[in-house]
Amino acid sequence: EVQLVESGGGSVQAGGSLRLTCTYSGLTFEDYEVGWYRRAPGNECELVSTLNSISSFSSPYYADSVKGRFTISHGNPKNTVYLQMNNLKPEDTAVYYCAADTRLRLCSGRPLIGSDRGYWGQGTQVTVSS
């Protein structure tokens, strides 16, 4: 059984940092793309960042809204994926979900979070105050 569990959310002031952790089990990292989505009021689905180990030539993906501020990495212990979030802004306030699939998709207006395709964590709340 595949399980994804997020941790590390919380409340910070603008400009602060948080690190989210996704601890996964039941899957082989080399066979999946693992990443983070978020859901915020007024924006039901945004693909934030992904890490693709399937192709050795792939670079991590970042949404334009987080480029230069967020960093995704595969961690130690080996069954973890981190999302380091720096210089947080109020618009980063959302529930963040860890996801895994052979290919993670852009939302493009679709409510993908928690869909039947792929695997999903339960989410962790991030609140950034101004």
Side-chain angles (χ1 to χ4, degrees), residues 54-99:
I54 297 173
S55 168
S56 60
F57 300 101
S58 294
S59 299
Y61 166 83
Y62 296 99
D64 288 342
S65 57
V66 306
K67 277 181 182 176
R69 301 187 298 120
F70 290 13
T71 303
I72 192 170
S73 61
H74 189 220
N76 186 13
K78 292 184 177 181
N79 62 331
T80 55
V81 172
Y82 298 110
L83 185 68
Q84 178 67 42
M85 306 185 297
N86 297 328
N87 190 22
L88 283 161
K89 303 177 180 180
E91 51 264 43
D92 294 317
T93 295
V95 180
Y96 286 72
Y97 296 87
C98 182

Side-chain angles (χ1 to χ4, degrees), residues 1 13 19 33-34 49 69 99 101 105 111 116-117 121 124:
E1 180 186 6
Q13 290 190 325
R19 187 176 76 164
E33 185 170 15
V34 182
S49 182
R69 301 187 298 120
D101 201 348
R105 297 173 292 168
D116 290 342
R117 174 171 169 164
T124 185

Side-chain angles (χ1 to χ4, degrees), residues 13-68:
Q13 290 190 325
S17 298
L18 284 172
R19 187 176 76 164
L20 304 183
T21 299
C22 174
T23 303
Y24 60 84
S25 60
L27 64 84
T28 302
F29 179 73
E30 288 74 15
D31 295 334
Y32 286 87
E33 185 170 15
V34 182
W36 296 87
Y37 287 80
R38 66 186 180 186
R39 174 186 284 150
N43 189 359
E44 280 299 304
C45 181
E46 181 181 16
L47 178 60
V48 176
S49 182
T50 74
L51 197 57
N52 188 344
S53 68
I54 297 173
S55 168
S56 60
F57 300 101
S58 294
S59 299
Y61 166 83
Y62 296 99
D64 288 342
S65 57
V66 306
K67 277 181 182 176

